[in-house]
Amino acid sequence: MKKNITINLCGRLFQIDEDAYELLQHYIESLRHSFGKSEGGDEIVDDIEARIAELFTELREQGNEAITIDHVKAIISRIGEPEQLTENEESDKSDKAHKFDSFNSAAQGVYDNVRKRTCGKKLFRNPNDKMVAGVLSGLAKYTDTDPVIWRLLTVLFSAFYGVGIIIYIVLAIILPEARTPEQLLQMEGKAVTPQHLADIVVDKDQSTTQKPNLFRSLFAIILKILFGFFVGIASIVAIILFCGFLFALVVLVSALTFPVNSYMPFSLQAMGLAELYETNPMILIIFVFSLFMMLLIPIYAIVHMLLSLSKKVQPMGIAQRIAWILLWIVALCSIIPCSISMAKFRHEQRTKEYFHTHIYQDVLMDDNDMDFMRHGEWNLIKAEDCAHYTAHGEYFDGNKSVRYLDTYNDECRAIYQVERKQAVEPGIYRLDCIARAEGPGSFVYAIGDSKMLTSIPAYGNRGGELAAQIKKELSHMLASDSLNDVGIDESTKEVDIKGMKFVLTDLHQDNKKKLKRICKGYGWSIVSIDNIVVTGDSITYGVSTDEGFTGHPYRAKWFSATDFKLTRTGDLPHIKNDKTRHPRIKRNKRR
């Protein structure tokens, strides 16, 4: 049983059903809204109302006592929707006016087509035809296209670094789902009328009984697998974010609780930020606030999504979701410059502390350089434009822990001279060491009665004379069963090359890798200075790149030297003469 209403339309009375009246009233209001801003719009609506009254009169003359919703639908389809009437009016005006060129006409046609497809619609996620979240089906409803097209495009874009999946997840977060019948009608661009509401309910019941085809089922399985994979990753990220939030909270509470100058864990002093807090606290405040926002917003969004899926809270609206995303982006843009400023401050602070606490002979150097110089009793004569003063990692036998004299300057401008003084008896001596250089201009020197120089061979850090000599001395080692067969002392693991004994650590009979590392050489060569005459009580020796001392320009980026050994090779000539004359004097006295 339906309720009838008596209406007055253009001075005529008609009996009409209640749902038909609501549809008619919505149609006339849509007409007034469409034509209200145009010139003569009210007259057009009045003419349409008069035409509807004439059609109602014809229905009554045919024996229809009451106008039903089917009669109103038929009349609306006969007259046309407001959008169609507006487009017809605009097309009439455009025919009277000037014509666009071909490009503008094509663009206008595309715009009109898109506007026609989306006019009066709202974008929702479609729950009635979804495979994962209903995003693509909602886009298909909004643009009046086939959902398969959108699904194929998603798969295609997903092949490009997962762009399609990322866009899908973002839209699934932003777009609300059409849950109520009113939202379903808005998604399709239909008027909210009792008849349309009834049709939505019937269509929903029919859609639940439809059986999906093979392609739809296969596509749904693929998308669900991909979506499940990213949901798993998102869950792991959420757990990590939550743990990071708890850790950041503990650090913040500790930093605020402990005094600024305290060395307790997580205090500002322990983290090296006490001075920054005193000089520029706003950087720390902005950093902490932005960090908490970056962690809390994703956690809140995930929890809210889970609660909405369980029907405990309403889903977020589009405006709320966009606001949270913009706020998270603002927090990210704030935390990046703060992090850069804090890292720069910590680097400057560490550099300042580092160099002010390690000074050796008025030269700033690190702890390793200072210890090597101090323990080796090396005196730093000159040090200009030197990146460092010692190094390790490329010792001739592959032992990366052995440290040696070394300096570096990419522009070949390092002036580096280091020496030490050794007490000796008068005599003739030889100085041996192993050294290497990237280019010419570095020298090993010895000062006895006079200054003697020998240049360091420039083999770079590959090969070198020492490696060639070791290969020659140990050429039969790979085929030998005993180290003694090739001149190596098995108890000390020493090899004698030109009078210098080199200890080959960790060398066993079956250890062939050690020999291979030794044969790389790393550019080392044996550098010797022979016939050093000493009539005093000491010899000074060292290395130098100073052109004023060596007389040669320095054109190397780096050089290295180590294993200095001083050997007495003979007596002074006048001492030998005294020993030969002394017996003759005694014989003369006996005579």
Side-chain angles (χ1 to χ4, degrees):
M1 182 176 64
K2 295 183 179 180
K3 181 179 179 181
N4 291 338
I5 301 173
T6 302
I7 63 172
N8 186 344
L9 186 62
C10 296
R12 304 176 189 179
L13 299 177
F14 299 99
Q15 293 290 328
I16 186 171
D17 293 344
E18 186 176 10
D19 53 353
Y21 170 74
E22 292 180 358
L23 178 60
L24 178 62
Q25 186 180 20
H26 183 269
Y27 178 67
I28 293 175
E29 290 177 355
S30 300
L31 291 175
R32 294 193 182 280
H33 179 74
S34 300
F35 293 99
K37 297 181 181 179
S38 61
E39 184 179 357
D42 294 336
E43 296 178 359
I44 295 174
V45 176
D46 291 340
D47 292 340
I48 294 175
E49 287 184 358
R51 177 56 180 163
I52 293 174
E54 291 176 0
L55 295 175
F56 280 178
T57 303
E58 293 178 1
L59 290 174
R60 187 169 58 186
E61 291 175 353
Q62 294 175 1
N64 297 308
E65 297 181 357
I67 305 299
T68 64
I69 191 171
D70 293 332
H71 295 148
V72 175
K73 287 182 179 180
I75 290 173
I76 292 174
S77 62
R78 186 174 177 179
I79 296 175
E81 296 287 345
E83 294 81 7
Q84 297 175 349
L85 297 175
T86 305
E87 290 175 1
N88 292 334
E89 183 183 3
E90 291 177 354
S91 62
D92 293 340
K93 291 181 180 179
S94 63
D95 290 340
K96 295 178 183 178
H98 65 281
K99 295 184 179 181
F100 294 105
D101 55 19
S102 59
F103 177 78
N104 290 336
S105 298
Q108 186 67 27
V110 173
Y111 171 77
D112 292 340
N113 187 24
V114 173
R115 184 175 179 274
K116 180 179 179 181
R117 290 176 180 271
T118 60
C119 184
K121 297 181 180 180
K122 289 187 178 181
L123 185 57
F124 291 94
R125 289 186 287 119
N126 187 5
N128 297 332
D129 186 25
K130 67 178 182 179
M131 291 185 173
V132 179
V135 174
L136 304 180
S137 180
L139 288 171
K141 285 287 186 181
Y142 185 74
T143 58
D144 195 18
T145 54
D146 195 334
V148 176
I149 298 175
W150 293 97
R151 287 163 183 162
L152 291 176
L153 288 174
T154 301
V155 174
L156 179 62
F157 280 104
S158 298
F160 295 96
Y161 305 101
V163 174
I165 297 176
I166 295 174
I167 295 175
Y168 186 94
I169 293 175
V170 171
L171 291 177
I173 295 173
I174 295 176
L175 296 179
E177 186 179 32
R179 297 177 180 273
T180 64
E182 290 81 1
Q183 292 175 340
L184 291 172
L185 290 175
Q186 292 174 354
M187 181 179 64
E188 297 181 0
K190 294 182 180 180
V192 181
T193 62
Q195 183 62 36
H196 287 167
L197 293 175
D199 294 340
I200 285 293
V201 175
V202 173
D203 293 340
K204 187 176 180 180
D205 294 337
Q206 291 178 354
S207 63
T208 56
T209 59
Q210 292 179 354
K211 295 182 179 180
N213 55 29
L214 179 61
F215 176 77
R216 183 185 294 269
S217 300
L218 181 61
F219 196 85
I221 292 173
I222 295 174
L223 281 182
K224 286 181 179 179
I225 291 174
L226 293 176
F227 187 77
F229 174 73
F230 281 94
V231 166
I233 294 178
S235 301
I236 296 173
V237 170
I239 295 173
I240 295 174
L241 288 175
F242 184 73
C243 295
F245 170 75
L246 293 179
F247 179 75
L249 185 62
V250 171
V251 173
L252 178 62
V253 172
S254 301
L256 295 177
T257 303
F258 298 133
V260 176
N261 58 353
S262 173
Y263 282 92
M264 295 294 291
F266 304 128
S267 64
L268 291 175
Q269 184 68 35
M271 292 185 291
L273 300 175
E275 186 176 348
L276 179 63
Y277 180 75
E278 294 176 354
T279 57
N280 196 349
M282 190 56 62
I283 293 178
L284 287 177
I285 294 173
I286 296 175
F287 175 82
V288 171
F289 180 77
S290 302
L291 177 63
F292 275 95
M293 293 301 297
M294 285 187 62
L295 295 174
L296 279 176
I297 290 175
I299 294 173
Y300 169 76
I302 293 173
V303 172
H304 192 281
M305 180 185 66
L306 295 176
L307 292 177
S308 64
L309 292 176
S310 61
K311 310 295 183 181
K312 293 183 179 180
V313 296
Q314 292 293 331
M316 290 187 192
I318 296 179
Q320 185 180 3
R321 299 181 186 190
I322 294 176
W324 283 120
I325 291 174
L326 292 177
L327 187 59
W328 188 88
I329 294 174
V330 170
L332 176 64
C333 295
S334 300
I335 203 172
I336 291 176
C338 291
S339 301
I340 294 174
S341 299
M342 292 170 62
K344 184 178 179 181
F345 174 81
R346 287 292 297 136
H347 176 72
E348 293 176 353
Q349 188 182 38
R350 287 180 179 178
T351 303
K352 183 179 178 181
E353 294 175 355
Y354 187 77
F355 285 120
H356 275 285
T357 55
H358 298 84
I359 301 176
Y360 182 75
Q361 295 180 344
D362 298 328
V363 177
L364 305 176
M365 61 178 63
D366 65 24
D367 192 30
N368 293 321
D369 290 346
M370 184 185 68
D371 288 344
F372 185 87
M373 294 286 185
R374 181 167 52 86
H375 293 155
E377 298 182 350
W378 291 100
N379 294 315
L380 199 58
I381 306 303
K382 276 191 177 182
E384 298 178 9
D385 298 322
C386 299
H388 51 258
Y389 307 96
T390 67
H392 68 96
E394 291 187 347
Y395 191 60
F396 81 96
D397 66 352
N399 189 345
K400 297 184 181 298
S401 63
V402 176
R403 187 165 290 273
Y404 39 82
L405 294 172
D406 187 277
T407 191
Y408 176 84
N409 186 289
D410 191 54
E411 298 178 357
C412 306
R413 299 191 318 181
I415 300 177
Y416 182 60
Q417 182 173 346
V418 60
E419 66 182 24
R420 66 183 172 191
K421 192 174 184 179
Q422 184 172 337
V424 296
E425 296 180 355
I428 300 175
Y429 291 84
R430 184 181 74 245
L431 176 68
D432 297 302
C433 70
I434 61 171
R436 61 178 186 165
E438 186 270 337
S442 54
F443 287 82
V444 176
Y445 68 89
I447 302 176
D449 289 357
S450 61
K451 181 174 70 175
M452 304 178 71
L453 298 170
T454 299
S455 63
I456 299 176
Y459 289 95
N461 62 344
R462 293 290 183 272
E465 298 174 3
L466 180 60
Q469 292 165 4
I470 291 177
K471 288 179 183 179
K472 183 178 180 181
E473 296 290 337
L474 308 180
S475 59
H476 303 292
M477 180 178 178
L478 293 176
S480 176
D481 294 331
S482 174
L483 297 177
N484 290 329
D485 295 340
V486 291
I488 300 179
D489 187 347
E490 289 189 345
S491 61
T492 60
K493 303 295 188 299
E494 291 182 350
V495 58
D496 191 331
I497 300 177
K498 288 188 175 181
M500 294 187 68
K501 293 184 180 294
F502 296 99
V503 179
L504 308 180
T505 57
D506 300 331
L507 185 61
H508 302 284
Q509 294 183 13
D510 57 348
N511 192 347
K512 308 305 181 184
K513 294 182 179 180
K514 182 68 177 179
L515 179 61
K516 293 181 180 179
R517 290 199 301 269
I518 294 172
C519 292
K520 288 182 179 179
Y522 297 104
W524 296 94
S525 300
I526 298 178
V527 181
S528 301
I529 301 178
D530 213 348
N531 296 322
I532 306 171
V533 178
V534 180
T535 59
D537 58 356
S538 65
I539 292 179
T540 301
Y541 58 87
V543 290
S544 177
T545 64
D546 184 11
E547 183 178 356
F549 180 82
T550 64
H552 298 273
Y554 179 65
R555 294 194 176 95
K557 294 182 179 180
W558 56 264
F559 82 94
S560 309
T562 189
D563 290 345
F564 288 84
K565 180 183 178 182
L566 196 60
T567 306
R568 182 186 175 95
T569 58
D571 297 327
L572 294 175
H574 71 277
I575 295 177
K576 290 182 179 180
N577 293 334
D578 291 343
K579 289 182 179 179
T580 56
R581 292 173 185 172
H582 190 60
R584 293 180 181 177
I585 294 174
K586 288 185 178 182
R587 284 196 293 271
N588 293 331
K589 285 183 179 182
R590 288 177 183 177
R591 290 177 184 176

